[in-house]
Amino acid sequence: MAKRKVIWSADSSMDMIEIMDFYNSRNKSKEYSRKLYRNIQEKLKTLDFSIALPQKTSDKKLFYFTLKHIFIGFDIIGNDFNVLIVIDDRRNPQLIKKIITSI
């Protein structure tokens, strides 16, 4: 199996940084943010499409999954995962519903 590459869009990178900053400020520690980011990266690199597909949106090209409370929206081009959307689903669950149904 070829090595999978995870590419973060500028918007998704900024969203992830914002989420990590929120938890750094709230917890007064960067440890939780580091663990969360590592877990997301590991999930993206090891996501197995033959066993359990991530869910699709109405767009059919955009896949998503949630890890803990973080919604990750991505597309797949070849062997690359392009992370397009990162949302803390506890902060704005209505936005996620809108994304899933209207794309």
Side-chain angles (χ1 to χ4, degrees), residues 52-77:
L53 288 173
Q55 298 181 20
K56 291 183 183 181
T57 63
S58 58
D59 182 1
K60 304 295 185 222
K61 294 180 183 176
L62 184 68
F63 296 91
Y64 72 94
F65 66 88
T66 56
L67 182 66
K68 296 191 179 187
H69 49 82
I70 305 297
F71 172 91
I72 308 291
F74 61 95
D75 67 0
I76 303 166
I77 299 176

Side-chain angles (χ1 to χ4, degrees), residues 87-99:
I87 303 170
D88 185 335
D89 64 10
R90 296 179 294 184
R91 293 171 73 186
N92 200 346
Q94 295 304 319
L95 178 60
I96 293 172
K97 281 184 182 178
K98 183 178 177 183
I99 290 169

